[in-house]
Amino acid sequence: MSKILVVDDESDIVDLVSLHLQREGHEVESVDNGLAVLPMAVKTSPDLIVLDLMLPGIDGVQVHRRLRADTRTRHIPVIMLTARAQTNDRIAGLEGGADDYLTKPFSPRELMLRIGAVLRRTQKVVMLAEQRIGDFLLDRRNMSLSICGKLVELTITELKLMTTLMANPDVIHSRSELLSAVWGYADDTHSRTLDTHIKRLRDKLGDHGRHIGTLRRQGYLFQSVVQEEETADA
Amino acid sequence: MSKILVVDDESDIVDLVSLHLQREGHEVESVDNGLAVLPMAVKTSPDLIVLDLMLPGIDGVQVHRRLRADTRTRHIPVIMLTARAQTNDRIAGLEGGADDYLTKPFSPRELMLRIGAVLRRTQKVVMLAEQRIGDFLLDRRNMSLSICGKLVELTITELKLMTTLMANPDVIHSRSELLSAVWGYADDTHSRTLDTHIKRLRDKLGDHGRHIGTLRRQGYLFQSVVQEEETADA
DNA sequence: CAAGCGTGTTACGATCTCGTCGCATAGGAG
DNA sequence: CTCCTATGCGACGAGATCGTAACACGCTTG
């Protein structure tokens, strides 16, 4: 179902958690070394990371920070495992953007429930090689978009932007969401960069029924349905 | 910001939690008797319930079950407070639909964080949901309202206002309530701002059976039923 | 080095949103 | 009926928000 990266130095825990996860149909990767987390996360790009805060050598909070700092792992939800006493770390974890945490000792069943909740919460977007909405066919391999058979080449930035928009058509993607998805984390509120790329995309898309709509103060969306214009009479 | 119902028999905890919640701008109601929770929840319809599992007389899990069984309280998220030992109850709580839980003793700060998380989470769910009353379909995702299939785009302010009105149709929303819900706290008694936005909404709604009614000196309401004459008797 | 391309930034104008004002109007009390 | 108050409503302007063109910078290619 989902791929989950378990980070813990105690092999007992890893085995136990892995067993339960696999029993629910999840795919499991594991790491016992804090320094190896980021590379492994980049390599396997899991849907969720279960991270023990108490790791030998490097602090779990540090690991978490690194995960958050890297564009490639920033979006991955993290569930933290903390010892009972580490209240400060727990709070730091939640504030730092952890999606949930659990105090040890915990029951596997409880962890499963929390994992299920987090996975449900974070709507996972599956990246397919091709994405089709009506006449729009986005081909990530060729970095191109064919509209009614006509081929339009996209740059890498435009591709990312279009991918994000088409992943959830008819859904508002806020500026910060788009900035985060395409450029990595940024709340660059007063920059016209996003607008500029939206315009460049719009220019390339041409004037068809489906287009990129603006919702003021909310964001942009790719409209899968042709909206009726009120310019019926000439 | 939000209305929160705190259920606990220990007045110390209630006071502490209330204090912190109010400091963050939340409105707080409290109950110390498990049997009174459901009526109170129905009456005040809070955005969130903080429920102690250990209550005199009635089991907290039972209370939770009753809340879930009632249509009027079913959607309200619940954060449970449990003693450390009650692991079974904790799991029962999560499985039963509690949105989160916290083991006593807890730090107020931690509770605040969890409350914030749950509110953010449920708010997102609400944002994704559509609200339908008769032919009126309020789509929060697209900031639009479709009436008999016709799509009307709303601004942020109009959306908030319409959301508040449609959340409880046929219920009078006082001026101060609407001002508070849409603009944040305000006792702007002699301003025409609210009227103006009500008018703008009315214009966009068009002339259908359902409309926004005025109750002089009392407030506004969204009428779910076509009303020919006002025969309000007291 | 020159040319082309992708990208981010800046500047500026266009458009939209929203609160306020002034006055019109309606509805109830006496 | 008259008066008084609450609400309805059009218009206006400040500020927010967005679209667009032009430019600057870095990188690659020849």
Side-chain angles (χ1 to χ4, degrees), chain A:
Chain A
M1 187 179 226
S2 302
K3 188 189 292 183
I4 295 170
L5 177 59
V6 181
V7 184
D8 205 316
D9 58 309
E10 302 172 59
S11 61
D12 291 352
I13 291 192
V14 172
D15 290 345
L16 183 67
V17 171
S18 299
L19 183 67
H20 278 84
L21 282 173
Q22 284 163 358
R23 194 177 290 165
E24 295 202 5
H26 298 298
E27 187 180 342
V28 181
E29 304 277 351
S30 66
V31 180
D32 62 352
N33 177 1
L35 292 172
V37 173
L38 183 54
M40 186 59 137
V42 169
K43 201 182 96 189
T44 64
S45 69
D47 303 303
L48 176 76
I49 298 176
V50 178
L51 174 64
D52 191 353
L53 268 194
M54 304 217 317
L55 291 172
I58 184 169
D59 184 9
V61 176
Q62 283 261 339
V63 174
H64 182 242
R65 211 164 282 156
R66 292 191 187 178
L67 286 170
R68 281 289 176 270
D70 194 303
T71 315
R72 298 163 296 180
T73 58
R74 179 168 297 144
H75 63 284
I76 304 174
V78 172
I79 292 184
M80 286 195 177
L81 303 179
T82 77
R84 177 71 188 146
Q86 295 175 297
T87 309
N88 284 338
D89 283 352
R90 295 163 67 186
I91 292 180
L94 266 185
E95 284 183 323
D99 292 81
D100 213 334
Y101 66 82
L102 213 56
T103 55
K104 292 201 284 192
F106 56 88
S107 77
R109 200 169 162 207
E110 192 172 352
L111 178 59
M112 294 307 117
L113 289 171
R114 287 208 178 271
I115 286 176
V118 169
L119 284 178
R120 251 174 278 120
R121 204 184 308 162
T122 59
Q123 303 157 344
K124 187 176 58 122
V125 177
V126 181
M127 289 289 183
L128 299 173
E130 291 185 342
Q131 213 167 339
R132 196 174 66 84
I133 291 175
D135 298 326
F136 283 61
L137 179 72
L138 184 64
D139 186 344
R140 275 194 202 74
R141 272 191 283 263
N142 298 344
M143 286 180 50
S144 65
L145 183 67
S146 58
I147 307 170
C148 310
K150 274 179 285 189
L151 200 73
V152 176
E153 299 208 339
L154 299 179
T155 69
I156 188 67
T157 309
E158 290 159 358
L159 183 74
K160 282 193 223 168
L161 189 53
M162 199 63 203
T163 299
T164 309
L165 288 171
M166 282 182 68
N168 294 89
D170 302 315
V171 168
I172 299 180
H173 301 265
S174 68
R175 294 179 86 86
S176 59
E177 182 186 337
L178 293 172
L179 285 168
S180 166
V182 178
W183 287 272
Y185 178 62
D187 47 3
D188 191 356
T189 40
H190 285 302
S191 166
R192 309 250 57 75
T193 302
L194 177 56
D195 308 71
T196 303
H197 283 276
I198 288 285
K199 170 177 167 42
R200 284 167 184 162
L201 253 184
R202 280 175 173 156
D203 288 347
K204 287 196 179 182
L205 295 192
D207 190 13
H208 296 76
R210 293 164 230 278
H211 59 97
I212 299 174
T214 305
L215 285 183
R216 200 153 240 260
R217 267 186 62 67
Q218 292 301 103
Y220 298 93
L221 55 75
F222 179 75
Q223 300 183 322
S224 70
V225 190
V226 179
Q227 292 261 343
E228 291 183 21
E229 296 291 334
E230 296 188 10
T231 54
D233 50 349

Side-chain angles (χ1 to χ4, degrees), chain B residues 45 131 133 163-173 177 221-222:
Chain B
S45 72
Q131 202 170 343
I133 292 176
T163 299
T164 309
L165 289 170
M166 282 182 70
N168 295 89
D170 302 315
V171 168
I172 300 179
H173 301 265
E177 181 186 339
L221 55 76
F222 179 74

